[in-house]
Amino acid sequence: MNTPLLSNYVSGQWQAGTGAGTVLRDPVLGTELVRVDATGLHIPAAFRFARQQGSGALQALTYAERAALLAQCQKVLQANRDAYYDIALANSGTVKNDSAVDIDGGLFTLGQYARWGEALGGARALRDGDAVKLGKEPVFQSQHLRTPRPGLALFINAFNFPAWGLWEKAAPALLSGMAVVVKPATATAWLTQRMVQDVVEAGILPPGALSVICGSSAGLLDALQPFDVLSFTGSAETAAVIRSHSAVTRHGVRTNIEADSLNSALLLPDAAPGSPAFDLLVREVVKEMTVKSGQKCTAIRRIFVPEPVFGAAAEAISARLAKVSVGNPRNEGVRMGSLVSREQLDNVQQGLRQLAGAAAVLYDGRGQPLVDADPAIAACQQPVLLGTMNADTAQAVHDVEVFGPVATLVTYRNVEHAHQLVQRGLGSLAVSLYGDDAAALARSTLALAPFHGRLHVVTPEAAQAHTGHGNVMPMSLHGGPGRAGGGEELGGLRALDFYHQRSAVQASPAVLDALGL
Ligand code: NAP
């Protein structure tokens, strides 16, 4: 049987690759779904079209006009939501609640930027702070402003968020007036491609404003030019290739990198077993380990508890994990589906072998059968909780990111020791703190802030309201220093900075007024 070949959309046209293509599979059933291929595309011409036609047309509009386009895109996507759930079920192996994190999370983010953009009104450039006089007299002043960059925005995305990964980046980029070219990760490219197709067919955006290239990334970086931007999400190894590419080293292409992250959860010393804070940590850890089978860049990988709490925490987390049924997401009784591919399953098992010398297995679902899934075919992995009381010497725990339903419980002696251990992740996307003493939580927050992009503090009074350790809200920054890549996304309108050039204008007040900022 000839598996359907998905088309690419570049230079305002649907173009099929001319090669054999790569097959995308159902990770539970192992069946072939579609093929992707980017062979034969003329990338420099496609990029030229995106810059000139796409960004050109978008930048002729105001922020509010572009925001209205985002709102229309969201409407179209909303109308096609069922098809996206079907694709996610088949291609990502996720249960409905997990597909929602990706699909509805993407739509929510898009809608949020449409609202924020509307408030920017009829401007075409953004004021950045107030004018400051440059001498004694106010006749010559300095005013900073931000103007949309005249290039294109290339997104090279990871497999775990084919929907959200597109829209969390595209919303601020399009609102800023930059044309978007997305290259989704091959394993799950179908959902991204389908969403782009729906938006293109609805005829909302100007030609060239949104392109999709499925398949190999060959030639993409080579075609970048100085005013383009590149936003990458994926592994630290690929990130290193990108950082050393001549587009970045010679042309200074602005780059945002979201890479690996060994995120932490920290139970403060005052939280005894059975306390509300203890229970909140246990619930959140299990959620983080199992939502999307742990394939979330923000998922909790290391859980820090005081030494005396280790046994109770291990028991409570294991008891909850034992209730998680794993298998075919088509079965209503299944709570956790599969990983995205057999390749990822191999990666997870290799990661577990790397951690084996550093931590003991506390729970691994042994004896729990997969529901409706053949272990020889399905990329299903039971959750695994590891543990160590020797975190100082267990280096692998702070080094190895197992991108699956795996976390390690780690003990600390006192809060300073806990802070040191958390920092051994060398920079992470998120840390969550659990306790009941606001002052102690604030001290830990300030101590850990330089090492994290986001600090999620869970107290009993926020038990129902908190948005979740791993949940990326568009209002808050997403990104992290050090090994997390050093990137910054979202955070409300802060996200627009990446797609704008900041300039200082030194001029008389009359000229500054005439800028109309
Ligand atoms: P990956 O192998 O690095 O792939 C990421 C993307 O880069 C894919 O689109 C891939 O295309 C492309 N790519 C591969 N080699 C390339 C090259 N030489 N030049 C340009 N592009 C290239 O990562 P992954 O396995 O998809 O994603 C899993 C990793 O992403 C995890 O380690 C996780 O920590 C990280 N992640 C981080 C975040 C975050 O926000 N910080 C979010 C999600 C995931 P192909 O698929 O076609 O190879």
Side-chain angles (χ1 to χ4, degrees):
M1 195 187 79
N2 214 354
T3 315
L5 177 65
L6 300 181
S7 266
N8 306 288
Y9 188 71
V10 291
S11 300
Q13 289 168 10
W14 289 103
Q15 297 185 33
T18 53
T22 306
V23 170
L24 275 57
R25 287 181 188 277
D26 182 317
V28 178
L29 306 176
T31 46
E32 296 192 357
L33 299 169
V34 291
R35 283 176 301 136
V36 295
D37 184 46
T39 315
L41 299 183
H42 194 321
I43 303 293
F47 280 17
R48 217 168 20 250
F49 187 87
R51 283 182 207 108
Q52 290 171 0
Q53 306 287 317
S55 298
L58 286 171
Q59 291 182 19
L61 304 174
T62 65
Y63 290 96
E65 287 166 337
R66 294 193 291 261
L69 297 181
L70 295 188
Q72 288 178 51
C73 291
Q74 195 221 20
K75 237 181 175 170
V76 166
L77 296 167
Q78 191 71 36
N80 289 290
R81 216 168 134 258
D82 289 350
Y84 307 147
Y85 273 85
D86 290 346
I87 293 174
L89 178 68
N91 192 195
S92 291
T94 37
V95 295
K96 200 163 182 199
N97 281 347
D98 291 358
S99 301
V101 179
D102 186 28
I103 296 165
D104 293 334
L107 296 195
F108 174 70
T109 304
L110 187 54
Q112 194 63 56
Y113 275 94
R115 281 190 289 282
W116 284 327
E118 199 184 343
L120 293 177
R124 286 190 175 77
L126 297 173
R127 180 192 183 90
D128 186 342
D130 292 330
V132 179
K133 57 182 184 172
L134 290 166
K136 268 195 183 143
E137 301 303 323
V139 291
F140 197 62
Q141 304 189 0
S142 173
Q143 169 71 59
H144 288 83
L145 57 75
R146 284 171 293 154
T147 47
R149 290 170 71 94
L152 62 80
L154 173 64
F155 303 156
I156 298 184
N157 282 356
F159 64 76
N160 55 343
F161 281 103
W164 176 82
L166 165 61
W167 297 112
E168 63 106 10
K169 295 180 183 183
L174 293 170
L175 180 57
S176 301
M178 287 195 88
V180 165
V181 179
V182 60
K183 189 232 128 12
T186 296
T188 56
W190 190 9
L191 180 51
T192 309
Q193 194 269 0
R194 174 61 196 265
M195 287 180 136
V196 171
Q197 182 182 322
D198 289 340
V199 168
V200 166
E201 285 177 357
I204 298 165
L205 298 172
L210 183 60
S211 307
V212 62
I213 297 174
C214 302
S216 164
S217 56
L220 296 182
L221 298 178
D222 300 321
L224 288 173
Q225 292 193 357
F227 304 110
D228 297 334
V229 300
L230 168 61
S231 182
F232 169 79
T233 304
S235 63
E237 295 84 67
T238 312
V241 172
I242 285 175
R243 283 188 207 282
S244 58
H245 191 276
S246 63
V248 177
T249 56
R250 289 185 38 216
H251 297 317
V253 167
R254 188 181 283 181
T255 305
N256 191 75
I257 290 188
E258 304 284 349
D260 305 357
S261 180
L262 282 154
N263 312 294
S264 308
L266 169 58
L267 183 69
L268 261 65
D270 61 338
S275 65
F278 176 90
D279 293 344
L280 285 164
L281 169 112
V282 169
R283 198 179 316 154
E284 199 59 19
V285 163
V286 172
K287 195 169 123 213
E288 285 296 307
M289 288 177 71
T290 55
V291 168
K292 286 181 80 48
S293 299
Q295 298 168 110
K296 269 175 37 250
C297 48
T298 49
I300 296 169
R301 307 291 178 200
R302 299 175 300 154
I303 311 146
F304 295 94
V305 295
E307 272 168 6
V309 174
F310 183 78
E315 207 174 293
I317 296 168
S318 301
R320 276 183 175 256
L321 289 176
K323 292 191 193 140
V324 176
S325 46
V326 183
N328 188 337
R330 292 164 186 85
N331 185 309
E332 299 254 308
V334 166
R335 193 159 131 214
M336 186 171 103
S338 70
L339 299 167
V340 292
S341 62
R342 287 294 289 198
E343 194 191 344
Q344 276 311 306
L345 181 61
D346 290 345
N347 285 344
V348 165
Q349 288 175 353
Q350 190 196 336
L352 284 169
R353 285 192 290 277
Q354 284 174 276
L355 287 177
V361 174
L362 303 178
Y363 175 87
D364 65 0
R366 193 157 304 176
Q368 301 261 35
L370 295 183
V371 180
D372 248 1
D374 179 350
I377 296 172
C380 289
Q381 168 71 51
Q382 296 283 354
V384 179
L385 179 68
L386 304 169
T388 175
M389 297 189 78
N390 299 307
D392 290 320
T393 52
Q395 184 53 33
V397 169
H398 310 291
D399 261 354
V400 179
E401 184 204 36
V402 183
F403 210 61
V406 178
T408 306
L409 187 63
V410 177
T411 54
Y412 67 82
R413 292 186 292 277
N414 52 46
V415 80
E416 289 74 28
H417 185 218
H419 294 169
Q420 280 166 22
L421 292 173
V422 169
Q423 288 168 31
R424 282 175 65 179
L426 301 181
S428 303
L429 296 171
V431 58
S432 51
L433 310 171
Y434 303 79
D436 200 4
D437 175 345
L441 287 162
R443 279 195 297 277
S444 286
T445 299
L446 291 173
L448 294 175
F451 308 95
H452 295 89
R454 182 162 58 82
L455 297 105
H456 183 78
V457 184
V458 182
T459 47
E461 83 251 25
Q464 301 305 321
H466 86 89
T467 45
H469 164 107
N471 218 2
V472 177
M473 302 298 288
M475 301 80 179
S476 301
L477 189 81
H478 174 59
R483 75 177 285 162
E488 285 194 358
E489 292 174 352
L490 300 172
L493 288 172
R494 288 175 188 84
L496 272 57
D497 281 358
F498 182 63
Y499 304 101
H500 283 76
Q501 177 60 42
R502 178 181 282 120
S503 312
V505 181
Q506 299 174 320
S508 69
V511 173
L512 295 181
D513 281 350
L515 293 172
L517 298 173

